[in-house]
Amino acid sequence: ATTDAAASGDPVTIAVVTHGSPGDTFWDVVKSGAEQAGKDLGATVTYQGDGDPVKQSQLIDAAVATHPDGLIVSMANPDGVKNAVEKAVAAGIPVITINSGLEQSREFGAQTHVGQSEFIAGQGAGEQLAAADVSNVICVIHEAGNTGLEERCKGAADTLGGSVTNVQVDVANVADAQNTIKSSLLADPSIDGVLTLNPGIAVAASQAIEEAASSAKLATFDVSSDVTQLILDGKILFAVDQQPYSQGYLPVTFLTLQARNGDVVGGGMPVYSGPGFVTKDNAEQVAKFAKNGTR
Amino acid sequence: MTDAQASADPPILEVRDIGKTYGSILALQGVSASVGVGEVLCVLGDNGAGKSTFIKILSGAHAHTHGKLLAYGVERTFGSPREALDLGIATVYQDLAVVPLMPVWRNFFLGSELTRGFGPFSQLDVKGMRRITKEELAKMGIDLRDVDQPIGTLSGGERQSVAIARAVYFGAKVVILDEPTSALGVKQAGVVLKYIAQARDRGLGVVFITHNPHHAYPVGDRFLLLKRGTSLGDFKKSEITIEEMTKLMAGGAELDALAHDLARA
Amino acid sequence: MTDAQASADPPILEVRDIGKTYGSILALQGVSASVGVGEVLCVLGDNGAGKSTFIKILSGAHAHTHGKLLAYGVERTFGSPREALDLGIATVYQDLAVVPLMPVWRNFFLGSELTRGFGPFSQLDVKGMRRITKEELAKMGIDLRDVDQPIGTLSGGERQSVAIARAVYFGAKVVILDEPTSALGVKQAGVVLKYIAQARDRGLGVVFITHNPHHAYPVGDRFLLLKRGTSLGDFKKSEITIEEMTKLMAGGAELDALAHDLARA
Amino acid sequence: MTRTAPAVTDERIKPAGLIITLLRRPEVGAAVAALAIFIFFSVSTQAFLTPAGVATWLYSASLFGIMAVAVALLMIGGEFDLSAGAMVGTTGLIVGIVTTEWGVNIWLALVIALAIALAIGAANAFVVMKTGLPSFIVTLATFFILQGVNLAVTKIITGTVSIQGMSAVPGFDAVKVFFGSSFALLGMDVKISIVWWIALTALATWILLRTRSGNWIFAVGGQITSSRQVGVPVMKVKMGLFMTTAGAGWLVGMLQLFDVSTVQATTGIGQEFIYIICAVVGGCLLTGGYGSAIGAALGALIYGMTLQGIVFAQWDNNWLKAFLGGMLLLAVLVNLYVRRQAGVRS
Amino acid sequence: MTRTAPAVTDERIKPAGLIITLLRRPEVGAAVAALAIFIFFSVSTQAFLTPAGVATWLYSASLFGIMAVAVALLMIGGEFDLSAGAMVGTTGLIVGIVTTEWGVNIWLALVIALAIALAIGAANAFVVMKTGLPSFIVTLATFFILQGVNLAVTKIITGTVSIQGMSAVPGFDAVKVFFGSSFALLGMDVKISIVWWIALTALATWILLRTRSGNWIFAVGGQITSSRQVGVPVMKVKMGLFMTTAGAGWLVGMLQLFDVSTVQATTGIGQEFIYIICAVVGGCLLTGGYGSAIGAALGALIYGMTLQGIVFAQWDNNWLKAFLGGMLLLAVLVNLYVRRQAGVRS
Ligand SMILES: Nc1ncnc2c1ncn2[C@@H]1O[C@H](COP(=O)(O)OP(=O)(O)OP(=O)(O)O)[C@@H](O)[C@H]1O
Ligand SMILES: Nc1ncnc2c1ncn2[C@@H]1O[C@H](COP(=O)(O)OP(=O)(O)OP(=O)(O)O)[C@@H](O)[C@H]1O
Ligand SMILES: [Mg+2]
Ligand SMILES: [Mg+2]
C-alpha cells in the first residue's frame, strides 16, 4: 500500500498460494481466474500450490521474500499456514484468504475472505440430493486424505438425512475409478445416489451406473463441458458450482485496487462466491463457459 | 610337533558322516574326516566333487543337512561364519569373500577392524590398517600400487592374495583354504605353500584344497579324496605316493595318454 | 603346419606397442606380439602383470589406449566383443562371462543361439541346444546333473568348463583362453590342453594364459613374458627351456629355497 | 573321447516329481497367492463371483496387467521405467488434443501418439545406455518432465486440465471397437482390454522362453558385462525393451481414453509403482535377470482382485491402502513359501 | 621375507594431483551441480540470495536432507525404505492425537512416537532379513499399511483428516524450542531444523568413514555373502539402519509438527522417492555399497534450491514438475561428468 502508486498501470505483483495441487480441476479454474484478472488489470500474478501445510507455508515464505503487493492464500488447514500468514501480515503485505478458512481469516490478520467453505457447498449438495428423494449415497473421494474433499462429503452427510459412505478412488486412473464405483454399486444395490467431486470422475461414474444397471442418481461438484452435456442428457442431476473462477478473479482485483488506489474492499466482511447449481435449466448457458475453462 | 603328539588331543575339527543337499541336489554324502593340531588335511577331487561344499560346512557358511560336526570334541552346527570365526577358524573361500567396491585395506580388515578410543568414540585406525595391509601383501610378493584401490579392480591373483593374507594374518586355530593357489603366479603360489608349512609348524590345523598334486603332496599330512559327493577314503602321507595320488585325482589311465596327445601332430 | 608356413601369411592378430590405462592406472605399456595360423602364444607373468588386460584388448572387451592392433594385417579398434567375435575370435575370460541365474544350456549358446523357423517366427531349438551342451561338457569330463541348473550353482571348475567348451565349440579362427585351467581338476586340465593342441593342429591361432609352466611348455610355440605391465620379451620355444621359463615366471632364485622351506621344521 | 551323454537320472539328484518341477517356475507362487485371494473374496462377498463382479475385477486387472507385463520384461532386462504411468496420460492427451482441438483424423492421431511414445521410450534407452546412469533416475526425470508437460500443454491448448467432447469426434466409434468395446461371454460383459491383456501375456511368454530375444533379455538383466562379452547386442535389446514399455503405455492410454472418453492431465501419475509391484509379486527380481510375464499378469490379477474385492466387501474405505499393503505382504509371503517348498532359492 | 613396503609413488600410476584425488569422493559431482544451481538462481532471481530467500530454501532442503541422509545410509547398506515418508506422518499424528485428544503429556508423547517408529523400523528389518524378500516390497507394504492406518485412525479418533489445536497443548512451547524454533544469523531467520540437518550429516559422515559400523554398512551393501563370511553381524547392521531411518522419520515428523502446529493424515506420502532421489543425485548407488552422507545432503540442497528457486523465478507452476525433471537430469549429468573427469567409473 504505497502512497504514490495511485495511477492505474503501475506495476503490481500479486502472489497466490493455495492448497490445490497442480492439475486439480477446481484449483485450475481458480488459477485461470486470478491470471485473467491480472491480465485485465495489468498486474503480475504468480500462482503456487501444495496440499501439505509445511510446503504451503514454505511457498508463502518464498512469496513473501519476493515482496509482492498482495498475497492471496487458501486455508484448508488454518493452523498449518497461521505462522506464514501472520509473518506476511507483519511484513506489511495485504492478505486476502480464499475458499476455506473463513472462520480464521480475520484472526490471522487477513483483510477479507472470498469464497465459501467446502463444507457449506457440501451442505448445499446434500439438500439438493435429499430433495431428489435420495437417501443412500456414496461420496467419491478422488484424492485420499484431501481436506477439502472430506469437508464436501461431510457437508453433504450433514444435510442429506440419509447415509453417506465415502469411497476412495484415484483421479490418476479414471478408468479404474469407474470400476470401483461400479463395484460399490454391485456390492450394495440399495445405493440410490452417487456424489462425485470432480467432473472427470463424474463422467466415469455415469458410465459405471449404466454398466452396473443401477438406478442411482448422480450429482457432482464442478462443471466441465462433458458434465453439462450429461446434465442436458439427464444423466447427471445437478452440478455444484462454487464458481472458482471468481474465487481467483475477485481477490486479485481487490488487491490491485488497493495497491493502486488504496481501496480496502470487503469492509471486514467475507465475499461469498457461490454456490451455484447447474441443472438442466441453466446447463446450456454454463456449457459455453465451461468449454473455456472458466466455470 | 609329531603325528603322535597331535593325535593325543581331540581333533580341532571333525566331521562324521556329514552331508549336504541344496534343494533336490545332493552335493555331499557320508564324508568323515578330521584335522588336528599341527596337521594339514588336503581335500582332493574332481570338479564338482563337493570340496567347496565340504569346507563351507567347516567354516559355517552353509549348515550341514546330515551327520555331525565336532569342534574340539563338542558337537556343533554353525549358524553363521561368525560362530566359526569366534572359534578361531579362518577361511579363504573359492569366491574369495571380498566386497568389490571397497578399498583393499578395508577388505583386508573387514569384520576385524582395528580401532582406537573407547566405547561410542572408538575410531578406525586407518593409518595402521593401511600400513599392515601393504606390508602383509608385500610379504606375499604382491606389490600393490595403492591400498585405496577398490578391490574389484585388482587382478584375479591379487585379489586372491588379499584373501589369503587376511586369513593367515587373522588365523588363530585352523586355516581353511579353498584352491588358494589357483589364480596365483609361481612365486605367489610358492609363498602360500610356505605359509601353510609355517602355520602347521606353529601348531595350527590347515585344510587345503587344490587340484595341483605338486602343491598338495609336499605340505599335506592326510589326503581326503572326494568323488561325486562321496568319500573315496582318507589317506596318510605314508600310505600314498605322489604318482598314485595324481592318478587317483585324474581318474586313472587317461593321464598317460595325454603326454602323447600333446605332441605336435 | 610348420613355423615357416605360418610366417608366410600375415598373423591373425598382431599388436604393436600396445597400452591401456584405467583412469590414472597404467595397466599395460608398449607390448608387441602376434599370433599366426596354427600357432599357440602363451602369455606368462606375475599376478597383476597385465595378462588379462592384454587379452581383453585382443577380444574387444576393452579398447586399447595406446599403440596399434592389427587383425589380418588391417588396423582395428574393437568397439565391442561382438566385432571381435565376428572376426572369429572366441574368448574364455578369467571371470568366465556367464550369467549366473541362467540355465547352463542357455549360457552355453548365449549370443549364438540355435533357432528353427524363419523371420519373426523363428524359435529356439531348445532340445538341440540341451543335447549339444550335455555332449560337449561330457567330452571335457564334466558329467552334469542337469543342464537346466542355473550356472551360478555349479562348482567353480564346472563353470570354467562350460566357458571353455563354449569357446572351443564356437571358435573359428583364434581362441583366447585366460587361465582356463586354474580351477580345473587334473583330468579336466588335461582335456583342455588336448583341445589346445587340437585347435592348433586344425590351423587355429591360440592365445593361452597360465601360471603353470607344466601346462604352458608342452603346447606353446611362443612365450610372451609380462612384468608390471611391460614386456620382458617374446621367446620362441627353441630359445628357452622349461626350467628357464619357470625361473623367469617365478622371478628368480627364490624358488630354489622353497623346496627346502616346505620340509617339516 | 566319444563318451555318450549320461542318462538323465543321476544318483546325485533327489527324485523330483512333475509337481515340484512345475513349482519351480517363477510364476507359481503368484498363482497360488492369486488363488487364495480369489477364494477369499469369493467366499466372503456376494458380488465378487457374479458375472458383473468378475467382469469388473478382470477389467481392473487388465489395465494394470498390460503395463505390468511390459514392465516385467523391462525388469528382467535389468531396467526400470518410472515414466510408464505418465506415458498413459501423455498418449491419451495427445490423441485427445489433436482430435478435439485441431480436428486431426482419429486414426492418424493414434499413429502420432504411438510414434511419440516410442520416441520417448527410445530416448530413455539412449540416455540410460550412453551415460550409464541408472534407469531409475533417468526415467524418473522423464516422468517428471512428462507430468509437467502433460499439465502445462493441455492447459495452454485446451484452457482446462482435461479433454472434453472426445466422444463427438468423427470416427470415435470405429476406434472404440478396438479399444473400448465389450462383448458378452458366459453372461459377462467382457471388455476388450481383457483380450489384449491375455494376448500380450501369451506373446511375452513366448518371446521370453522360446526366442533368441528372450534369451538376450534374461542375459542383459542377469549380467550385462558377460552378455556383452559373448556378443549379445545389448543396446538393441534395451532399446527394444524401453520401446515396448512405452508402446504398452500407449495401448493402455488408448484403452482408457476410448473407454471413458475423457482423459485428465494427471492421468497415470503414481501408477508406475503399481506396475512394478505387480511384476515383483509375480516373481520378478528387482535386480533383473529373473522373472516371468505370466507372473506379472498374475500379479496384476491379484492387485485387481484385491482392489475391487475390498470394495465388494464394503470395508471402510479409509483403510483401503492398509488392506492393500496387507494383501501385498501376504501375496509375497505365500509366493515365497511356495517357492521355498519347491526348493528354489530366491 | 621382510621386504619393506614400497614407496607410495609407483611408476604404474599416472601422477594425480590433490584436486583429482578430491574429485574422486562420491559427493563432489553433487557439490558442483549444487553450485551450478545456486549460481543460476542467484543470478536469475532477485529474492534467492536475500536473507529471507536463503532461509526459505535452506529450511526446505533441511527437511528433505535429514531423511535423505538416513536413507542414504540405508541405501549404502543395500536396502530401501519406502515407508520413510509415511513415517513422518505417523509420528506426527501419534503425538498430535495423544496430546490433543487424550491429554497425554507432550514429552511422553514424543517418546511414545519415537518408540513406535523404532519398532516399525525394526519390524521392517526383521521381515526383510528373515524372509529374504526385497526391502523395496516389504517397506512398500509397510508404506501402504501406514498410509491406510494414518488416514483411518485419524478419522476415527478426530473425525477429520488433520490435527487441530496442537499449539494449545501444555508444554508445546517448551518442545518447540528443540523442533520448531528459529534464531537470527546474518540477518536470516534460521530454523532449528537446519542445525539438526548439518549435525546429522556430520555424524553420519563420521560413522561411515571412521567407524567400524561404517565399514560394515559399506560391506553389507556391497556384498552381503562376503560380509557374512568374514563375520560382519549383518542382521545387526541392517536392523540399525532401518531403525535409523525410522528415527529420522520421527525427527522430521516432530520438526514439521512443531513448526506448523498441525499434521495431516496424508503428510509425508509421496516423499519417500524424493529422499531416494536426493541420495542418488548425491552419488549413492541404487545397488548399494557406495555413496556418501554429504552427497545425500547436497542432493537435498539441490532439491530444496530448485523447488524454491522455481517459485522465486515466478515460473508457471504447471511446469513445476517439468523443471524439476530437467534439473534432476542436469544434476546427475553434471555429477557424472565431474566424476568421469576424475577418472572414477560409475
Ligand atoms: N578395471 C580396472 N581398473 C583399475 N585397475 C585395473 C582394472 N583392471 C585391472 N587393473 C589393474 O591392472 C593391473 C593388471 O591387471 P590384469 O588383470 O591384467 O593382471 P593379470 O596379469 O591378469 O593378473 P592375474 O594373473 O592375477 O590374473 C592390475 O594391477 C590391476 O590392479
Ligand atoms: N548353491 C548350490 N545350489 C545347487 N547346487 C550346488 C550349489 N553349490 C554347489 N552345487 C553343486 O554341488 C556340487 C558340488 O559343488 P562344489 O562347489 O562343492 O564342488 P567342488 O568340489 O568345489 O568343485 P571345484 O573343484 O570345481 O571347485 C556341484 O555339482 C554343484 O553343481
Ligand atoms: Mg570348489
Ligand atoms: Mg588375469
Side-chain angles (χ1 to χ4, degrees), chain D residues 48-174:
Chain D
F48 193 81
L49 255 192
T50 61
V54 175
T56 312
W57 51 257
L58 270 183
Y59 177 50
S60 179
S62 70
L63 292 180
F64 295 116
I66 292 170
M67 285 308 287
V69 168
V71 167
L73 291 189
L74 187 67
M75 277 173 66
I76 294 173
E79 305 288 344
F80 293 100
D81 187 355
L82 300 188
S83 68
M87 186 70 77
V88 172
T90 304
T91 51
L93 289 166
I94 292 173
V95 173
I97 289 175
V98 300
T99 52
T100 61
E101 296 286 324
W102 300 339
V104 173
N105 175 285
I106 195 160
W107 293 101
L108 183 61
L110 290 181
V111 174
I112 294 173
L114 178 60
I116 293 178
L118 293 179
I120 295 172
N124 276 338
F126 186 81
V127 175
V128 168
M129 297 307 291
K130 283 294 154 197
T131 62
L133 289 169
S135 53
F136 189 90
I137 288 300
V138 172
T139 59
L140 189 74
T142 315
F143 163 57
F144 278 162
I145 293 173
L146 287 185
Q147 191 179 345
V149 170
N150 283 358
L151 178 57
V153 173
T154 307
K155 173 81 194 191
I156 289 173
I157 298 181
T158 70
T160 66
V161 290
S162 63
I163 301 295
Q164 306 289 320
M166 191 65 210
S167 49
V169 167
F172 181 84
D173 291 326

Side-chain angles (χ1 to χ4, degrees), chain B residues 145 153 155 157-158, chain C residues 22 47-53 94 179 211:
Chain B
R145 290 180 178 80
T153 64
S155 82
E158 289 170 337
Chain C
Y22 296 104
N47 292 123
K51 303 181 296 298
S52 297
T53 305
Q94 194 169 8
E179 305 196 18
H211 288 297

Side-chain angles (χ1 to χ4, degrees), chain B residues 22-23 25-28 45-54 56 62 94 178-179 209 211 226 229, chain C residues 143-145 149-150 152-159 183-185, chain D residues 12 345:
Chain B
Y22 295 104
I25 289 182
L26 310 172
L28 204 67
D46 238 353
N47 290 123
K51 303 180 298 297
S52 296
T53 306
F54 177 73
K56 278 183 184 154
H62 286 169
Q94 194 171 7
D178 192 356
E179 303 195 19
I209 299 184
H211 288 296
L226 299 182
Chain C
D143 166 15
L144 228 52
R145 290 179 178 80
Q149 213 176 325
T153 66
L154 294 189
S155 82
E158 290 170 336
R159 228 157 25 213
L184 294 191
Chain D
R12 298 164 301 170
R345 274 134 341 114

